[in-house]
Amino acid sequence: MTVNATATDYLEGDGVVDYDLEIRVRVTIKDGIFYADFAGTRGAAPGNVNCPLAVTRSAVLFVVRTLLPDDVR
């Protein structure tokens, strides 16, 4: 079984620019593996809101962990 979900949100500027910065994610769970694809998200911003891939992965794992029951490790 495969589960898919998508979401779009906006960061209200980055401290340098005032326009909204689009953030898109497509979550897929297939064969027990969780995928988060940020394709379509706006590119690097001029302000201090960008993060390396390792930080993005860590944030995604943190969110998933907060949504799981305590007995799941």
Side-chain angles (χ1 to χ4, degrees):
M1 178 171 88
T2 300
V3 177
N4 292 300
T6 59
T8 301
D9 204 350
Y10 298 87
L11 180 64
E12 297 174 354
D14 65 355
V16 175
V17 298
D18 290 331
Y19 51 82
D20 292 345
L21 306 169
E22 186 173 34
I23 302 168
R24 292 181 180 221
V25 64
R26 177 182 178 94
V27 172
T28 302
I29 302 171
K30 182 177 180 181
D31 298 328
I33 300 174
F34 181 96
Y35 300 91
D37 181 358
F38 288 89
T41 293
R42 185 174 181 90
N48 190 22
V49 296
N50 305 297
C51 63
L53 183 57
V55 174
T56 303
R57 286 181 178 162
S58 177
V60 169
L61 291 173
F62 176 79
V63 169
V64 170
R65 180 63 185 105
T66 63
L67 297 172
L68 293 174
D70 289 338
D71 61 342
V72 176
R73 298 188 195 264

